[in-house]
């Protein structure tokens, strides 16, 4: 096709030259047959034809030169394109080689780590098995030589634990009696006393001790907590009932209740600070470890029963689920969401104030201004863990609940 187009352009060029030559020859023959002014016109026409021929020749030279330059430019662009393609291929090959090297290095590192881990496990397992064998052998030898002595020591240790627990209860009763005697000696009216174990997971109740004691329903009651003897007194908001269940925030603090009747003030104080679990220290440590394990989760679920909603008793005992999350709390029943609120300074969360024997397992939650619930948990541990967990998450969000200081 290109050859045909070139031939056509060449034929057109030759045709122009032929036409100009024929025109000049015709004018030359015409020149010999005319004279005067007409001859001058013919000569002028011949000159014009010659000028056109020269211009045509110049134009063709320019076109040939432009064509040569275009060919050179096309050759240069083709070479540049080939060089660029070659460069891209080289860079791509280099990148692939680098990726393969990186993969091989990662695979070697993974294999080395797996091998090291397997060796560590095998070594640790072997050491543990050898240690267990040594302990078992030591026990066997000890039992062979002193079987009766070991059994006697175990029974004696168990008996001592029981006696220690009984002594602790007896000591608590003696402390209460001592406080009662002290008030009598100081001529103070002994109308009420605090009844109940001063430990987390139990509850304290104001108990009348005299026939002349006014009915508690006619008295104004307020509970307080102290950081230590003589320390600053802190009001426990909402604690205005005759029953109060200590919560995690009260551990290590002394509790006091003020009873006001007809302008007279009666104060009752716990014999000591609230214990995390009396002599059973492992139970308290278990609660702390339990909460620390729950903190690692993004969302913790507790099975609860809604006993009150917005101050109205709820007769239904259907199971609900309380979600305590990193950013918010949520109460659900099946697939339905009853309440869902992010932690804020307006939220209130504490142990229920009052509630009788079930107070140690109940929790009050004011999610927002127009919604509050009282929730009963399956155990005291779940109730205390939910309070500690929610305060921990709220503190992580730079939020302090309205009724409490910083957690």
């Amino acid at each position: 096709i290109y050859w045909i187009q070139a031939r056509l352009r060449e034929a057109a060029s030759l045709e122009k030259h032929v036409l100009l030559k024929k025109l000049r020859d015709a004018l030359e023959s015409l020149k010999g047959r005319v004279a005067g002014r007409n001859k001058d016109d013919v000569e002028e026409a011949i000159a014009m034809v010659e000028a056109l021929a020269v211009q045509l020749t110049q134009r063709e030279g320019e076109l040939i030169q432009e064509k040569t330059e275009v060919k050179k430019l096309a050759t240069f662009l083709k070479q540049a394109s080939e060089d660029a393609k070659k460069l891209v291929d080289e860079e791509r090959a280099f990148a692939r080689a680098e990726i393969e090297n990186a993969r091989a290095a990662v695979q070697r590192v993974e294999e080395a780590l797996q091998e090291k881990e397997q060796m560590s496990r095998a070594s640790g397992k072997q050491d543990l098995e050898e240690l267990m064998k040594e302990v078992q052998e030591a026990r066997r030898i000890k039992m062979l030589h002193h079987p009766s002595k070991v059994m006697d020591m175990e029974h004696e240790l168990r008996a001592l634990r029981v006696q220690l627990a009984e002594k602790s209860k007896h000591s608590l009763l003696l402390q209460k009696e001592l406080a009662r005697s002290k008030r009598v000696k100081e001529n103070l009216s002994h109308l009420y006393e605090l009844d109940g174990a001063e430990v987390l997971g139990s509850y304290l109740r104001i108990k009348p001790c005299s026939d002349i004691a006014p009915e508690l329903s006619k008295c104004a009651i307020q509970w307080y907590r102290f950081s230590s003897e003589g320390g600053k007194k802190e009001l426990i908001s909402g604690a205005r009932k005759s029953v109060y269940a200590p919560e995690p925030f009260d551990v290590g603090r002394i509790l006091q209740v003020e009873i006001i009747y007809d302008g007279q003030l009666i104060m009752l104080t716990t014999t000591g600070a609230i214990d995390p679990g009396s002599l059973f220290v492992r139970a308290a440590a278990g609660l702390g470890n339990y909460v620390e394990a729950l903190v690692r989760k993004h969302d913790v679920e507790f099975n609860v029963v809604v006993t009150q909603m917005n101050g109205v008793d709820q007769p239904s005992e259907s199971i609900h689920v309380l979600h305590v999350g990193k950013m918010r709390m949520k109460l659900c029943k099946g697939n339905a969401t009853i309440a869902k609120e992010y932690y804020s300074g307006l939220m209130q969360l504490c142990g229920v104030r009052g509630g009788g024997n079930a107070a140690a397992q109940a929790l009050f939650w004011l999610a927002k201004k127009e919604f509050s619930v009282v929730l009963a948990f399956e155990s005291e541990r779940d109730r205390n863990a939910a309070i500690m967990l929610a305060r921990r998450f709220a503190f992580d969000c730079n939020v302090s609940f309205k009724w409490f200081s910083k957690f």
Side-chain angles (χ1 to χ4, degrees):
I1 294 175
Y2 292 118
W3 182 80
I4 294 173
Q5 290 177 351
R7 288 296 182 183
L8 289 175
R9 286 194 295 271
E10 186 178 355
S13 178
L14 290 173
E15 185 177 356
K16 290 178 182 178
H17 283 285
V18 170
L19 289 176
L20 288 175
K21 187 176 183 303
K22 289 181 177 181
L23 180 59
R24 188 177 181 283
D25 293 341
L27 289 173
E28 286 289 344
S29 62
L30 182 63
K31 179 181 176 182
R33 288 180 290 179
V34 295
R37 187 174 180 179
N38 290 331
K39 187 176 182 179
D40 294 337
D41 291 337
V42 171
E43 290 178 352
E44 185 177 355
I46 291 171
M48 291 177 63
V49 170
E50 290 177 351
L52 284 174
V54 172
Q55 289 180 1
L56 180 59
T57 303
Q58 291 177 351
R59 181 61 179 167
E60 287 179 351
E62 292 175 356
L63 288 175
I64 291 171
Q65 186 176 359
E66 289 179 359
K67 184 178 179 182
T68 303
E69 292 179 355
V70 169
K71 286 182 179 180
K72 289 181 180 180
L73 181 60
T75 304
F76 175 76
L77 292 176
K78 183 178 180 181
Q79 184 65 33
S81 176
E82 290 177 355
D83 293 343
K85 185 177 179 182
K86 184 178 179 181
L87 182 60
V88 169
D89 292 339
E90 290 178 355
E91 292 295 331
R92 187 176 297 170
F94 178 73
R96 287 176 180 174
E98 289 293 328
I99 292 172
E100 292 298 328
N101 293 335
R103 287 178 179 174
V106 171
Q107 186 175 1
R108 289 195 299 271
V109 171
E110 290 180 351
E111 291 175 354
L113 289 175
Q114 291 177 358
E115 184 178 357
K116 185 176 180 180
E117 185 177 358
Q118 291 175 358
M119 292 176 62
S120 177
R121 288 180 180 176
S123 177
K125 186 176 180 181
Q126 184 177 0
D127 293 342
L128 181 61
E129 290 177 354
E130 291 178 357
L131 183 60
M132 290 178 64
K133 288 179 181 179
E134 291 179 1
V135 171
Q136 291 175 359
E137 183 65 19
R139 287 178 177 175
R140 187 183 67 84
I141 294 173
K142 188 175 181 180
M143 290 296 293
L144 286 175
H145 289 80
H146 304 286
S148 58
K149 186 176 181 180
V150 173
M151 296 294 291
D152 293 342
M153 289 179 64
E154 290 181 354
H155 287 301
E156 185 179 355
L157 184 59
R158 190 177 296 110
L160 286 174
R161 287 175 179 171
V162 174
Q163 291 178 12
L164 190 58
E166 293 176 355
K167 292 290 183 181
S168 175
K169 293 180 181 178
H170 186 61
S171 175
L172 185 61
L173 292 175
L174 289 176
Q175 289 179 6
K176 290 184 177 180
E177 289 294 335
L178 183 62
R180 188 183 298 114
S181 301
K182 185 177 180 181
R183 285 194 294 268
V184 171
K185 288 180 180 179
E186 295 175 356
N187 295 325
L188 296 176
S189 57
H190 181 59
L191 301 178
Y192 306 97
E193 68 175 0
L194 287 179
D195 183 38
E198 299 174 0
V199 297
L200 183 64
S202 181
Y203 64 92
L204 299 173
R205 181 192 298 274
I206 302 174
K207 179 182 176 182
C209 297
S210 174
D211 296 335
I212 63 173
E215 293 183 12
L216 291 172
S217 60
K218 299 179 181 179
C219 300
I221 300 172
Q222 179 62 61
W223 291 80
Y224 297 88
R225 63 171 65 94
F226 295 84
S227 58
S228 60
E229 286 289 352
K232 185 179 179 181
K233 183 166 65 174
E234 179 183 345
L235 182 142
I236 304 176
S237 298
R240 302 185 183 93
K241 303 290 181 66
S242 61
V243 176
Y244 177 74
E247 54 186 72
F249 197 71
D250 298 321
V251 173
R253 300 190 176 194
I254 299 171
L255 298 183
Q256 183 183 87
V257 59
E258 292 184 355
I259 307 170
I260 301 176
Y261 176 75
D262 196 19
Q264 295 183 355
L265 173 63
I266 301 173
M267 292 189 297
L268 303 176
T269 307
T270 57
T271 57
I274 299 299
D275 194 272
S278 186
L279 294 175
F280 304 101
V281 180
R282 286 187 297 177
L287 176 60
N289 294 335
Y290 180 51
V291 173
E292 288 301 322
L294 296 179
V295 167
R296 301 187 186 97
K297 299 182 180 180
H298 186 271
D299 184 84
V300 183
E301 298 180 2
F302 296 95
N303 292 328
V304 297
V305 174
V306 179
T307 59
Q308 281 188 8
M309 184 177 295
N310 295 328
V312 180
D313 293 338
Q314 300 295 310
S316 174
E317 296 185 355
S318 60
I319 300 297
H320 293 62
V321 178
L322 177 67
H323 297 261
V324 181
K326 296 281 187 181
M327 305 292 294
R328 66 186 180 186
M329 292 178 63
K330 183 170 64 172
L331 180 65
C332 299
K333 181 180 180 182
N335 295 327
T337 300
I338 298 176
K340 181 174 66 175
E341 290 296 325
Y342 289 91
Y343 296 118
S344 67
L346 300 178
M347 184 181 290
Q348 299 176 4
L349 185 72
C350 62
V352 71
R353 312 314 192 193
N357 299 345
Q361 295 178 225
L363 178 148
F364 174 79
W365 178 34
L366 178 64
K368 50 188 175 181
K369 186 176 181 180
E370 63 276 6
F371 182 83
S372 64
V373 288
V374 174
L375 307 175
F377 287 74
E378 294 179 335
S379 65
E380 293 86 354
R381 187 181 79 154
D382 283 351
R383 175 257 205 179
N384 294 326
I387 294 175
M388 294 175 68
L389 195 64
R391 291 182 186 171
R392 175 71 171 271
F393 288 155
F395 179 69
D396 292 341
C397 297
N398 294 323
V399 173
S400 296
F401 290 142
K402 186 177 180 181
W403 282 0
F404 304 101
S405 305
K406 264 192 173 182
F407 175 65

